[in-house]
Amino acid sequence: MKYLNKFLLVIIFFLYSAISFANEGMWLPLLLEKLNEKEMKSLGMKISAKDIYNINSGSLKDAIVSLGGFCTGEIISGKGLVLTNHHCGFDAVQNHSTLEHNYIRDGFWAKSNREELPNPGLFVTFIVRIEDVTKQILNGVTAAMNESERQSQVDKNAEALRATVKKESYQKVLIRGFFENNQYFLFITETYNDVRLVGAPPSAIGNFGKDTDNWMWPRHTGDFSMFRIYAGKDNKPADYSPDNIPYTPKKSLTISLNGVKAGDFTMVFGFPGRTMEYLPGSAVEQIMTVNDPAKISIREKALTVIDEFMRKDEQIRIQYASKYAGIQNAYKKWQGEVLGLTRTGALGKKKVYEAEFQKRVLANPQWKTSYGAVLQDLNNAYAEIKPYGFARDYYNEIISKIELFTVAGQLNSLVNAFDQGGEAAYGKRKKEVTDFLTHFFPEHNSQVDKKLFAALMKMYVEDQPKENVSPLMKERSLTTTEDFEKLAEKVYNETSILDSKAVNEKLQQSTNDVLNFIRTDNAVKLFNDILKTYQSQVQGKLNEIQTRINKLQRTYMQAQMDVFKERKFYPDANSTLRMTYGTVKGYEARDAVTYDFYTYLDGVMEKYKPGDYEFDVPEKLRALYKAKDYGPYGVGGKLPVCFIASNHTTGGNSGSPALNANGHLVGLNFDRVWEGTMSDINYDASICRNIMVDIRYVLFIIDKFADAKHLIKEMNIAGGPKI
Ligand code: ARG
Ligand code: GLU
């Protein structure tokens, strides 16, 4: 009976996985034809894998860009118009905002090309072609090599490959490891640096529902903004110049106004950042019980401090809007992640999977030798890294939130540059630091920062093992009898590195004077002591264990691929171009709660709270709603806003196009549902859903709300009522 139960459990698990794997995966575009085309067609896709990825003629991939390396965008006109999320363009919107021109609050719409606003530092990258270069990169690599020997052989091979690969002078070569570096792919890329802001709705539309609705379904956010790529006269990449012209793309997406219905095929094309689907249960457990909770607790403190200032002060609200949203976003996601992993029994599933893995390995003499111990070794290594991983998260989360340390770190890098490379290195670094500070200070407020210091350094001193606390910090906290508010007052009084005028003037002086100023500053001294303590107590050991884990994960990855031949494997996300596909459907969130897959403008109005900071609705939108003035974008007297589907997405997929069976643009990806945020670690098709804004809502806002018809005219709209 006992055995029967176990046997049944395994059968059920694998039946279940066969189904659940159906929508799981972030696939490499060049392998779609081989691995996915058949399944995609069986789910309803009408185009071919070649229409998606083809290096010989324009294909869908030529309309997809990585936006700034952190989001995705897509080309939606023959004049280089790029659609992405509001939260992806938010930094740009914020940079152009002032108390007089508050584009965050009021939105921004360029009436002509001349009004489009440049954004230094923002770029878009196209993928020209992808090649499997595993053989070349692993040439000469042997199993006997240790990790650093392996890496130097890989680097040598990569260098040789770069030197011979065919490309234009303005293109770049990127080589990335996949499947824990069991495979390598090469990307030829093209980057444009002149990317201008074209339009963004007010935050009350683009970020409607703010943090309360973030990571939640049902959703009613018009999370979009638009940019335009500018090129040199020859249509090639060029640095910003007023003489640059709108870029003519190889391919731009066709827009469909037909919408989607339950069961429809959709695919999402973009640049997912990072997933960890192949961890052993022991590692997942550590994320749930150690790492996520540590990071959550620190962010909670930081958010409380910043929120208090933002509510009282409009200037600080603008300055800290983007930072706050960023801190809050991951803070909330990690909570959903822990909850989702718990609710879906992720650890139990990993246990069953690992038991089956081990059984198969032991039954095969060759596998037994090479893979027999890998799980146990991994479990041991994860147990060993636990305290160091906790210390790393504590250090990173705290130090990165206190801007006093950000500036100290920047200034300190000048000292390091000089010590290592003399005057030349110093000069080069000084330009970077000056650029950094120019962007940094307008968004900094020392009062906020001082409060952050008090709140977070208290955690740093009190919640960590003593040996991880910097001796200088400990000593200083004793001088104020551990009253951290008082200590913060002292620390900020004893430094001038947060005085932008003083720092800028100082940086003009002789190298010696600058270095002296930095070396003797109290805040820099404190920063250095904290850094040194971290390096000696944590970092060395952490890196050593992590290197071992990386090697074991690589073996475990290969082992899973060898042992579970019936399963189709996709590589974890690593910010490279991927395709994911699924079907439009609702889900059962919990007992007695089932969600539909569409939301409408009626839902925006249901959430409307006059004057509220998250749920206010602009007057014009209310008027359009009242008049039911939806133009060609409404259906049956209603205006669609958002919808969900089972596409497997993650951070970085923001702004990715949602395409229908014909490859036409029907939506814009921007989030996932609360119950499914654990999909980065353990995708579960029964509740993992991505959230997209319906393209009809986007066009409605541009056309009816913003009166920016000239932008609609640029677009190629098919398959719907005429506009
Ligand atoms: N959760 C989405 C993502 O991870 C949207 C974040 C932006 N919205 C916000 N309220 N912070 O990027
Ligand atoms: N909002 C996320 C982003 O910025 C995408 C949603 C997700 O994480 O799935 O990329």
Side-chain angles (χ1 to χ4, degrees):
M1 194 59 204
K2 200 170 133 218
Y3 288 99
L4 186 66
N5 267 339
K6 205 167 158 197
F7 179 70
L8 268 178
L9 205 68
V10 171
I11 297 269
I12 291 166
F13 174 74
F14 278 95
L15 271 179
Y16 164 82
S17 345
I19 302 162
S20 81
F21 290 155
N23 291 304
E24 178 172 354
M26 303 167 166
W27 306 92
L28 275 155
L30 85 161
L31 299 178
L32 287 177
E33 192 168 1
K34 191 166 131 212
L35 296 177
N36 312 93
E37 187 176 41
K38 216 169 124 211
E39 186 184 45
M40 292 169 93
K41 287 193 163 162
S42 79
L43 290 170
M45 185 175 75
K46 298 211 178 72
I47 59 173
S48 69
K50 277 218 169 62
D51 297 323
I52 296 171
Y53 177 85
N54 187 346
I55 55 170
N56 300 316
S57 65
S59 53
L60 289 178
K61 75 123 171 73
D62 297 310
I64 314 298
V65 291
S66 161
L67 182 92
F70 53 85
C71 274
T72 304
E74 53 277 357
I75 314 271
I76 53 166
S77 91
K79 292 182 196 151
L81 190 61
V82 174
L83 182 65
T84 188
N85 286 147
H86 184 265
H87 74 266
C88 296
F90 193 60
D91 243 336
V93 176
Q94 178 187 325
N95 285 338
H96 294 295
S97 292
T98 59
L99 285 174
E100 298 78 54
H101 295 287
N102 192 339
Y103 300 139
I104 300 181
R105 189 188 59 208
D106 307 329
F108 168 79
W109 305 96
K111 298 267 177 306
S112 67
N113 286 351
R114 256 180 304 124
E115 289 183 16
E116 296 172 357
L117 301 171
N119 304 285
L122 188 61
F123 60 87
V124 296
T125 299
F126 290 90
I127 303 301
V128 179
R129 86 176 182 267
I130 311 173
E131 285 171 27
D132 183 346
V133 292
T134 308
K135 269 215 186 79
Q136 294 95 307
I137 293 292
L138 291 183
N139 185 22
V141 168
T142 66
M145 287 179 164
N146 68 29
E147 285 301 276
S148 75
E149 289 164 345
R150 184 188 199 267
Q151 193 54 48
S152 58
Q153 183 65 33
V154 164
D155 291 344
K156 216 170 78 191
N157 292 341
E159 205 171 313
L161 193 58
R162 272 174 217 281
T164 57
V165 72
K166 252 182 55 193
K167 67 166 190 69
E168 305 293 337
S169 58
Y170 53 87
Q171 297 175 333
K172 287 209 173 70
V173 186
L174 197 80
I175 299 170
R176 301 294 295 269
F178 289 72
F179 293 115
E180 310 286 347
N181 291 344
N182 282 300
Q183 296 180 19
Y184 292 84
F185 287 81
L186 170 149
F187 299 79
I188 301 292
T189 65
E190 235 170 76
T191 293
Y192 287 78
N193 289 308
D194 186 351
V195 181
R196 304 187 195 167
L197 180 64
V198 174
S203 283
I205 291 172
N207 193 12
F208 180 72
K210 295 231 169 56
D211 300 324
T212 300
D213 268 12
N214 192 19
W215 298 111
M216 296 286 186
W217 181 255
R219 192 64 157 278
H220 300 88
T221 313
D223 196 345
F224 80 96
S225 63
M226 283 184 297
F227 289 82
R228 192 185 303 282
I229 307 172
Y230 279 76
K233 294 241 154 49
D234 54 0
N235 206 36
K236 303 267 154 60
D239 284 340
Y240 171 79
S241 154
D243 300 333
N244 284 347
I245 53 166
Y247 167 71
T248 306
K250 266 193 247 162
K251 175 91 191 168
S252 81
L253 296 179
T254 302
I255 295 172
S256 165
L257 297 183
N258 285 343
V260 288
K261 45 185 203 322
D264 274 1
F265 172 84
T266 54
M267 51 191 168
V268 174
F269 208 0
F271 293 85
R274 183 161 178 247
T275 59
M276 296 164 279
E277 310 283 354
Y278 303 104
L279 295 175
S282 55
V284 175
E285 186 173 9
Q286 212 165 95
I287 292 172
M288 293 167 70
T289 57
V290 179
N291 307 91
D292 279 357
K295 295 188 287 190
I296 290 166
S297 68
I298 294 162
R299 288 194 177 212
E300 187 153 292
K301 275 261 159 46
L303 288 166
T304 312
V305 171
I306 302 174
D307 181 61
E308 210 175 296
F309 282 95
M310 283 175 76
R311 279 177 191 275
K312 283 193 305 228
D313 188 322
E314 182 69 22
Q315 173 73 28
I316 295 180
R317 179 137 71 196
I318 296 177
Q319 285 179 306
Y320 277 72
S322 181
K323 275 184 263 198
Y324 185 90
I327 299 172
Q328 159 73 24
N329 192 40
Y331 161 75
K332 191 163 177 185
K333 183 194 136 172
W334 290 322
Q335 295 178 53
E337 184 168 273
V338 175
L339 210 77
L341 289 168
T342 310
R343 269 213 205 131
T344 55
L347 293 182
K349 282 193 225 160
K350 287 272 182 196
K351 216 179 233 158
V352 176
Y353 179 78
E354 284 164 23
E356 178 65 15
F357 170 84
Q358 199 64 15
K359 198 179 104 205
R360 293 191 192 188
V361 164
L362 296 182
N364 174 320
Q366 203 188 332
W367 289 345
K368 191 175 166 185
T369 321
S370 36
Y371 304 142
V374 71
L375 265 178
Q376 191 54 50
D377 290 348
L378 266 174
N379 292 342
N380 294 344
Y382 277 111
E384 220 184 308
I385 207 167
K386 190 161 143 175
Y388 301 99
F390 171 82
R392 172 203 54 211
D393 290 345
Y394 236 68
Y395 174 84
N396 285 340
E397 282 293 323
I398 290 177
I399 302 307
S400 67
K401 305 286 169 300
I402 301 171
E403 297 189 333
L404 176 69
F405 295 141
T406 311
V407 178
Q410 286 287 326
L411 294 177
N412 206 40
S413 73
L414 287 174
V415 178
N416 293 339
F418 184 83
D419 288 349
Q420 281 155 24
E423 196 69 55
Y426 169 84
K428 185 162 167 268
R429 186 67 202 138
K430 190 173 121 181
K431 184 169 170 350
E432 292 161 1
V433 172
T434 317
D435 282 352
F436 175 86
L437 293 176
T438 310
H439 288 110
F440 166 84
F441 277 119
E443 287 175 19
H444 167 83
N445 178 301
S446 292
Q447 295 307 320
V448 180
D449 204 50
K450 201 192 297 178
K451 273 267 191 243
L452 279 171
F453 180 98
L456 301 187
M457 289 318 278
K458 183 171 158 65
M459 298 179 85
Y460 172 86
V461 172
E462 292 177 357
D463 303 350
Q464 292 201 91
K466 299 221 169 356
E467 62 275 16
N468 291 349
V469 177
S470 124
L472 184 57
M473 183 61 209
K474 182 76 198 152
E475 184 193 310
R476 298 228 45 191
S477 69
L478 288 176
T479 61
T480 53
T481 55
E482 308 217 343
D483 178 336
F484 286 84
E485 300 268 343
K486 245 197 224 156
L487 176 64
E489 207 56 57
K490 265 184 145 177
V491 169
Y492 282 68
N493 276 340
E494 286 170 8
T495 178
S496 50
I497 66 170
L498 290 181
D499 178 342
S500 64
K501 201 159 152 270
V503 171
N504 281 328
E505 275 167 23
K506 200 72 205 172
L507 285 175
Q508 305 312 316
Q509 297 179 2
S510 73
T511 308
N512 244 337
D513 283 355
V514 175
L515 294 177
N516 222 1
F517 162 73
I518 299 171
R519 286 197 180 104
T520 52
D521 182 87
N522 283 318
V524 176
K525 276 189 199 157
L526 182 60
F527 169 76
N528 273 327
D529 199 62
I530 292 171
L531 177 66
K532 219 174 65 209
T533 310
Y534 176 72
Q535 285 168 336
S536 66
Q537 296 300 317
V538 181
Q539 207 170 34
K541 194 71 189 160
L542 183 80
N543 290 348
E544 186 253 305
I545 307 171
Q546 191 61 54
T547 307
R548 250 188 294 142
I549 289 180
N550 293 349
K551 182 173 171 142
L552 287 164
Q553 283 287 165
R554 193 168 67 237
T555 307
Y556 183 41
M557 187 73 245
Q558 188 59 54
Q560 293 177 68
M561 294 168 91
D562 288 348
V563 166
F564 295 113
K565 278 274 184 266
E566 72 277 26
R567 186 177 165 190
K568 218 165 52 183
F569 285 87
Y570 61 93
D572 267 321
N574 60 355
S575 296
T576 57
L577 183 61
R578 304 292 180 91
M579 176 62 93
T580 162
Y581 50 91
T583 42
V584 174
K585 55 182 164 193
Y587 67 107
E588 278 173 41
R590 51 187 183 275
D591 193 24
V593 177
T594 308
Y595 284 123
D596 215 339
F597 59 91
Y598 246 115
T599 61
Y600 295 90
L601 192 58
D602 308 69
V604 174
M605 298 311 298
E606 279 169 14
K607 287 179 177 172
Y608 169 46
K609 274 194 227 155
D612 187 68
Y613 129 97
E614 297 186 301
F615 292 101
D616 202 2
V617 176
E619 199 201 315
K620 180 146 186 207
L621 186 56
R622 281 184 273 133
L624 288 165
Y625 173 72
K626 214 166 148 203
K628 301 275 176 286
D629 184 4
Y630 302 149
Y633 313 108
V635 269
K638 282 159 80 103
L639 182 67
V641 174
C642 293
F643 65 99
I644 51 174
S646 61
N647 303 295
H648 186 184
T649 52
T650 188
N653 269 128
S654 270
S656 295
L659 305 166
N660 67 10
N662 296 315
H664 293 168
L665 184 67
V666 287
L668 183 60
N669 183 73
F670 70 99
D671 211 356
R672 276 173 286 168
V673 303
W674 182 242
E675 294 78 8
T677 53
M678 81 308 182
S679 64
D680 292 348
I681 296 173
N682 207 332
Y683 180 90
D684 184 329
S686 68
I687 52 166
C688 288
R689 298 288 178 272
N690 68 312
I691 307 179
M692 296 149 280
V693 47
D694 192 299
I695 201 66
R696 291 170 295 186
Y697 190 51
V698 172
L699 297 196
F700 163 83
I701 296 292
I702 298 172
D703 182 343
K704 293 278 174 181
F705 179 84
D707 275 327
K709 286 208 173 39
H710 61 289
L711 294 172
I712 305 273
K713 289 211 181 94
E714 271 188 64
M715 303 173 192
N716 178 14
I717 299 175
K722 270 269 161 293
I723 293 180

